[in-house]
Amino acid sequence: MKKNLTAITLFFSLSLVFALPSLEPSVLWGLEENALLTEDSPLTEDGALPGAAPSTSDISLQEDAPSTSDISLSKDAPLTSDIPSTKTSITQKLSPRNIISLALEYSLCPVDSEEGLLSLKKYDLLEKSAAKQFGNMDKIEAAEKLLLFLHEGALFSYREDAAKMNQTLLTGEYNCVTASILYLALAKSLQIETVLNQTDIHAYCSVFLEGQKIDVETTNPYGFNPGQKKLVAQSQNSRKYALIPKKYYSGNRQVSDLAAATLTGKNLAAMLNDTGGYEKAIPLEISRLKLLERHSDPETKTARNDLDTLACNHAIALNRHTRPEEALDFLEEVIKTFGTTASLQKTYGNSLYNACVNLLNENRDTQALELFEKRRSLADQTMQTRTKNMIDGQMKKKQEIATHNQVVPLFNSGEYAQAREILQKALEQNPTSALLKKDLQAVKKALGQ
């Protein structure tokens, strides 16, 4: 009994590729530095009880990726401030009030708005009070008491997500960035040489007094000169000490006043990145990048890396929402405006692959090949090769199945010679096809060969 061939009618769709971000979001929210406090105890003993860890609020994730049309890629910084228009080096200083003003602008709180004006008014009151209390004091003593003053009258509640300067000034909620910026400005108003230090995960200040550098963990009232035990209270039979452990953070570097003031924008962009708010995060980081670039600030490179992270993550979000061609359009605009980088090339290549997959799964093979040829130049070489191999392989597979289905009725009706001719020509184009080889073997067997 002759065994008939069966047509193939089911096709398996190609899968999309989802590359995870090659860069992690740049978050500066350091954990609160908790004082180790001794309870009332005999004078000869030093007990230690850690302070309570700060609580953070949940942030809801955005369900849909924003449209790229909602994201401005203008190279002109949209924010306004009264910083100098001349180039600013790391040794050049902003006035204390300018630091706060710029930090407010990069908190998306314009200084001429109602909330901005109230925030500046609160800062002015703090500066005036600090000058009255510490203006004539020894500088080292003033620097230490200023930190206590802030935690008694301005910094009330540590929150990891308290990224905005106006939030800190008006509610007392703070994180390491906003607390450090506020301390930086007020210390400078007291003529104390102060810098802000940025690490991979944290921000804190340092003061330079009497030939020595003293670190200041601004998230804790007892954070002046960490590593030294401080007597904070005593009674007739007991004393209470505070000890802030001295930590050494990776990537520790001193930043200019200009870069320090914009860290609210960096932190806010990182928060928006985590919740999918790219339509606000990307223009904010572009503004920061162009400002630092215009003043030849050393942090320009870091800002560019942050922008690349946001751009790649937005493109990946679009891919996950099956909108890879939008991702391609967006990344092309980023590359056109700011130039390409390895991370942008890689993400662009993944997006191109996914866009071609979508077209192939819709049986639009010609359009997939045209799209690849038109847009391949911006992708990294690895993804160019992978995408082309995928397209060629899928088109070859479809042609293989089409040939098989063409041969089926010929074979089943006994037209073996014509079936053999079709299969032999197809195998010249696709000599490794196991399916066509099997078909040809069946045809030859039917012909008695």
Side-chain angles (χ1 to χ4, degrees), residues 355-374:
C356 291
V357 163
N358 284 349
L359 292 172
L360 289 170
N361 284 337
E362 296 169 1
N363 293 316
R364 297 164 63 190
D365 299 8
T366 301
Q367 291 94 324
L369 188 57
E370 289 175 351
L371 178 69
F372 172 75
E373 294 297 343
K374 179 182 178 181

Side-chain angles (χ1 to χ4, degrees), residues 238-293:
S238 67
R239 294 177 182 174
K240 183 179 289 187
Y241 295 91
L243 175 63
I244 306 301
K246 188 175 182 64
K247 293 189 177 182
Y248 298 93
Y249 297 99
S250 63
N252 180 25
R253 61 194 183 277
Q254 174 184 325
V255 301
S256 69
D257 294 346
L258 180 69
T262 66
L263 286 180
T264 51
K266 177 185 176 78
N267 224 353
L268 185 56
M271 283 182 59
L272 291 165
N273 172 81
D274 291 345
T275 58
Y278 303 109
E279 74 282 358
K280 289 184 178 180
I282 290 174
L284 182 62
E285 194 58 48
I286 288 173
S287 171
R288 183 169 175 266
L289 168 63
K290 297 310 299 180
L291 178 65
L292 295 172
E293 185 178 65

Side-chain angles (χ1 to χ4, degrees), residues 243-393:
L243 175 63
I244 306 301
K246 188 175 182 64
K247 293 189 177 182
Y248 298 93
Y249 297 99
S250 63
N252 180 25
R253 61 194 183 277
Q254 174 184 325
V255 301
S256 69
D257 294 346
L258 180 69
T262 66
L263 286 180
T264 51
K266 177 185 176 78
N267 224 353
L268 185 56
M271 283 182 59
L272 291 165
N273 172 81
D274 291 345
T275 58
Y278 303 109
E279 74 282 358
K280 289 184 178 180
I282 290 174
L284 182 62
E285 194 58 48
I286 288 173
S287 171
R288 183 169 175 266
L289 168 63
K290 297 310 299 180
L291 178 65
L292 295 172
E293 185 178 65
R294 189 163 66 246
H295 293 278
S296 301
D297 194 276
E299 285 298 300
T300 299
K301 182 178 179 180
T302 302
R304 175 59 203 268
N305 290 339
D306 291 340
L307 175 60
D308 287 352
T309 298
L310 291 168
C312 289
N313 287 350
H314 176 49
I316 290 167
L318 289 171
N319 275 275
R320 291 189 181 280
H321 287 83
T322 63
R323 291 152 60 185
E325 290 197 56
E326 284 188 48
L328 289 174
D329 291 338
F330 169 72
L331 290 172
E332 281 188 11
E333 189 66 23
V334 174
I335 293 170
K336 176 183 175 182
T337 306
F338 300 100
T340 192
T341 61
S343 59
L344 291 177
Q345 283 185 314
K346 181 178 180 181
T347 306
Y348 186 91
N350 289 332
S351 301
L352 179 59
Y353 182 97
N354 289 343
C356 291
V357 163
N358 284 349
L359 292 172
L360 289 170
N361 284 337
E362 296 169 1
N363 293 316
R364 297 164 63 190
D365 299 8
T366 301
Q367 291 94 324
L369 188 57
E370 289 175 351
L371 178 69
F372 172 75
E373 294 297 343
K374 179 182 178 181
R375 310 185 88 156
R376 65 184 295 177
S377 63
L378 295 181
D380 66 308
Q381 190 59 50
T382 299
M383 283 309 297
Q384 284 192 44
T385 302
R386 182 179 177 186
T387 304
K388 185 61 165 64
N389 289 342
M390 180 270 296
I391 294 173
D392 291 346

Side-chain angles (χ1 to χ4, degrees), residues 209-236:
L209 296 168
E210 298 181 5
Q212 59 180 320
K213 175 187 175 183
I214 302 174
D215 291 338
V216 184
E217 285 290 355
T218 57
T219 58
N220 194 285
Y222 306 111
F224 188 83
N225 202 7
Q228 288 197 350
K229 186 173 68 173
K230 299 177 179 65
L231 176 65
V232 296
Q234 72 177 64
S235 62
Q236 185 176 359

Side-chain angles (χ1 to χ4, degrees), residues 381-446:
Q381 190 59 50
T382 299
M383 283 309 297
Q384 284 192 44
T385 302
R386 182 179 177 186
T387 304
K388 185 61 165 64
N389 289 342
M390 180 270 296
I391 294 173
D392 291 346
Q394 184 70 356
M395 293 178 72
K396 188 178 290 186
K397 184 67 176 176
K398 287 183 178 181
Q399 185 59 45
E400 176 187 60
I401 293 172
T403 300
H404 169 83
N405 288 345
Q406 183 184 3
V407 165
V408 166
L410 295 174
F411 179 88
N412 292 340
S413 63
E415 299 178 54
Y416 305 125
Q418 186 178 352
R420 180 182 59 186
E421 182 181 355
I422 292 172
L423 287 168
Q424 287 174 338
K425 287 183 178 180
L427 280 166
E428 290 177 3
Q429 302 297 321
N430 187 7
T432 61
S433 170
L435 176 62
L436 298 183
K437 286 180 179 180
K438 183 179 179 181
D439 287 349
L440 183 58
Q441 184 180 9
V443 169
K444 287 182 176 180
K445 183 177 180 180

